[in-house]
Each structure stands twice: as C-alpha cells, then as structure tokens.
Amino acid sequence: MYRELAIFSGNAHRALAEAVCKHLEMPLGQCEVLEFSNEEVFVRFLDNIRERDVFLIQPVVSPVNTRLMELFVMIDAAKRASAGRITAVIPYYAYGRSDKKDQPRVPITARLVANFIETAGADRVLTLDLHAGQIQGFFNIPVDELTALPLIADYFRTAAYTSPVVVAPDVGDAKRARNIAQRLGAGLAIIDKRRSGNDERAQAMALIGDVRGRECLIVDDEILTGGTMMSAVRLLNEQGATSVAVACVHPLMAARAFEVMDSPEISELVFTDTVPLVHGEFRRVPTTVLSVAPLIGDAIQRIHTGGSVGGLFR
Ligand code: R5P
C-alpha cells in the first residue's frame, strides 16, 4: 500500500479540486503550477509526496493545450518526487471527439493524449463521461470512468416534469439518453444530426420518436458552440414539444454558446461542474449546476483504500 492520500490541482479548475477536498475533509495539497513569459510550464510540489498516493485534478479545458501540458509536467514532477502512485484525475478529457480515423489522413488525437499521459508517468486515470467509452482502451494503465448521468437523472426526477421524453441530440448519444430515460421511466426520442465538413456546424435533420405535447429533456455529453443543441431545440419546438430543457455533463461553452443558448426556446439548462464556466453566463434561462465533487471524492477514497468504484453506481 502507499502512504497517505495527497490531492493537488492544476490551474484548470481549482474550485472543483477544493470542493473534492472539502468533501473528503482534507486540505488541498500545495503546488506551484506556473507559466514563464516564454510560455514554458513549471511545476513544483511544496509538500513532501514521497511514497504517497497522489491524485492530480485537471480537467482539460480552455486553453486546452496549456492545461494538457500542465498535467504532463505535474505527472513528471510527481514521478521525480518519488510519489508512490500517481492518478491523473481528468474530469473532462479533451480531444475525445478525435477517437477514430473517420476521414483520410486525420489523427486519432485521443489516443495520442493517452500515450502522453502514460509516458509522463501516470499509474492510473480517473475520468468522467468520456465522449466514447472505448477511449478507456487507448490506455495501458487502469482507467476508472465515472458517470454524472445518475446525478442528472436524479435532478430531473425531483423537478416537476409530468410526461417527459428524453432526447438524444445525435444517434451516437442514444445510449446515454436511454440510460436517463430508463432511470426516469420516460419516453425516448433520437435526432439524426449531420455535420458538414470540419467547421463545427451541426444540423438536426430528422426526429425518431414523438414529442408532440411532451416535455423534452435533451441530454448530451458536452456543449461547445451550442450548435448541436440549438438545432435540436428548434426541431423539437417545431415538432410540438411543450417545453425543451437542455442538460449536459461537460458545459465547455465557447463564448458564442452563451449568445445562442440564452434563448426563450430553452426552458432550463442543467450542467455539472466538471469544467468551469469561464466565457460568460446565462441571464435569461434558469440554470442549475450539479456538483460532481462528492462523486469524484468518493471515487478517490475507494481507489485509495482498494474499494469498488463500480459500487458507487449500484
Ligand atoms: C458530439 O458528438 C458531442 O456529443 C456534442 O454534441 C458536441 O460536441 C457539441 O458540440 P457543439 O455544441 O459545438 O455543437
């Protein structure tokens, strides 16, 4: 076994790391993570971590490549400081959409990032709602993937929805939507979404299922530009939905998402705090942020003590 638990944060989302430590009733470890004027990243642990069970919390959010580099350098510094075991806690795994070669001459960057994390010296990865579960297999070290879907389902269960239909904004999201629909005893509908080229424009083409007179709950893993969601919201409103609520695990929210989604076409927005909302705020649409800190904290505790992480979801 390793010596005691030690948790540190990079610069991506310190508030989440602090909330995890608060849940575990322990202090956040002290660590300098800074960038020199030539943009080189520097890390120094201020606590002794020799032989300790070290967890480094860093969702890979904007500026994505800097946050990734911070994570790699933190892992390297922990390794060289003789940490007993290093777990990269990545609440949001960027580059997840680049998970296959679906056009000629393109990379599989999700795999490349996995290679970098391993090469830096991580022993394990703890993450949440990967864009595609198969990304776990890009690693040769253990990966625990948590899910915030039960949290979102619990929220909708306690909200006053009488005849909800859970909607997948894309065929690839159908499994996720079905999971929530089953938890709620709700109906399921699926949108056929198309993207043209690589310019981030999404178009909801058709709806499989009936939403007339029903409350729609669209659930996605992430929102970036808001294009996928707004296209889905408009289609559902056209098809006679009485209201359309929007939920996602990772609200990446580029600045234009705040412009297009702060719209009366959406009845409410539900997110988690795997990533910080940095580019704006929603003023018109009621917004709820559910914290994943207790979930991450409990998973860390179980990994540290050799308990079952799967047991968290039974
Ligand atoms: C795509 O497959 C994902 O599940 C999301 O639908 C997508 O990343 C959302 O991106 P945007 O908000 O830019 O349409």
Side-chain angles (χ1 to χ4, degrees):
M1 284 303 260
Y2 315 96
R3 289 206 305 128
E4 68 274 33
L5 202 54
I7 300 180
F8 297 90
S9 176
N11 289 324
H13 198 356
R14 203 177 161 85
L16 177 63
E18 280 168 351
V20 168
C21 288
K22 191 167 175 210
H23 178 73
L24 292 173
E25 298 180 347
M26 63 178 282
L28 182 61
Q30 291 193 56
C31 174
E32 288 176 351
V33 183
L34 50 92
E35 202 177 273
F36 294 122
S37 41
N38 62 0
E39 295 177 18
E40 288 180 3
V41 169
F42 175 78
V43 168
R44 180 168 169 246
F45 288 95
L46 303 180
D47 302 332
N48 173 13
I49 53 172
R50 195 173 287 271
E51 299 306 327
R52 290 178 71 178
D53 198 8
V54 171
F55 289 76
L56 308 173
I57 301 182
Q58 179 86 327
V60 185
V61 292
S62 175
V64 166
N65 298 325
T66 301
R67 299 301 175 232
L68 260 185
M69 195 64 197
E70 282 180 9
L71 178 63
F72 302 149
V73 177
M74 286 176 82
I75 295 169
D76 185 74
K79 194 91 193 159
R80 292 172 196 283
S82 305
R85 177 172 69 173
I86 302 165
T87 302
V89 182
I90 310 173
Y92 173 69
Y93 188 86
Y95 287 108
R97 294 196 291 186
S98 176
D99 61 347
K100 57 186 150 323
K101 201 165 170 237
D102 53 2
Q103 302 170 48
R105 301 174 295 282
V106 295
I108 302 181
T109 317
R111 164 73 196 234
L112 184 63
V113 169
N115 289 350
F116 284 154
I117 290 168
E118 273 188 62
T119 301
D123 298 299
R124 313 181 56 92
V125 169
L126 174 61
T127 188
L128 258 113
D129 290 293
L130 291 165
H131 180 62
Q134 296 87 320
I135 292 170
Q136 295 168 19
F138 291 174
F139 290 88
N140 292 309
I141 53 177
V143 176
D144 288 301
E145 182 187 358
L146 308 176
T147 176
L149 296 184
L151 208 60
I152 293 173
D154 284 350
Y155 171 83
F156 281 133
R157 190 178 299 116
T158 52
Y161 288 102
T162 51
S163 62
V165 177
V166 180
V167 182
D170 188 5
V171 176
D173 296 310
K175 215 169 149 190
R176 201 173 284 124
R178 193 172 61 224
N179 176 319
I180 296 207
Q182 279 169 347
R183 287 172 185 272
L184 295 177
L188 176 67
I190 298 167
I191 288 173
D192 177 24
K193 176 182 93 172
R194 304 276 162 86
R195 282 193 193 274
S196 49
N198 296 315
D199 63 0
E200 297 191 328
R201 265 181 299 163
Q203 179 72 41
M205 306 298 287
L207 176 70
I208 304 164
D210 186 13
V211 299
R212 189 159 299 279
R214 308 285 294 273
E215 300 151 315
C216 291
L217 316 175
I218 317 180
V219 182
D220 208 343
D221 59 333
E222 63 181 54
I223 298 174
L224 177 57
T225 65
T228 297
M229 277 300 182
M230 286 318 291
S231 182
V233 167
R234 288 189 185 121
L235 180 66
L236 296 172
N237 281 323
E238 279 163 25
Q239 298 278 328
T242 52
S243 63
V244 182
V246 164
C248 81
V249 178
H250 310 295
L252 303 172
M253 302 295 176
R256 68 185 137 135
F258 291 93
E259 287 162 33
V260 297
M261 293 188 67
D262 207 7
S263 149
E265 296 158 286
I266 298 177
S267 60
E268 74 167 319
L269 290 161
V270 181
F271 312 131
T272 81
D273 60 353
T274 55
V275 302
L277 288 179
V278 287
H279 298 299
E281 59 181 318
F282 292 100
R283 294 207 172 86
R284 295 202 288 181
V285 184
T287 304
T288 302
V289 180
L290 308 168
S291 183
V292 294
L295 178 62
I296 293 176
D298 289 345
I300 288 176
Q301 188 63 49
R302 284 172 184 237
I303 292 168
H304 178 59
T305 56
S308 162
V309 172
L312 282 170
F313 300 99
R314 278 192 208 115

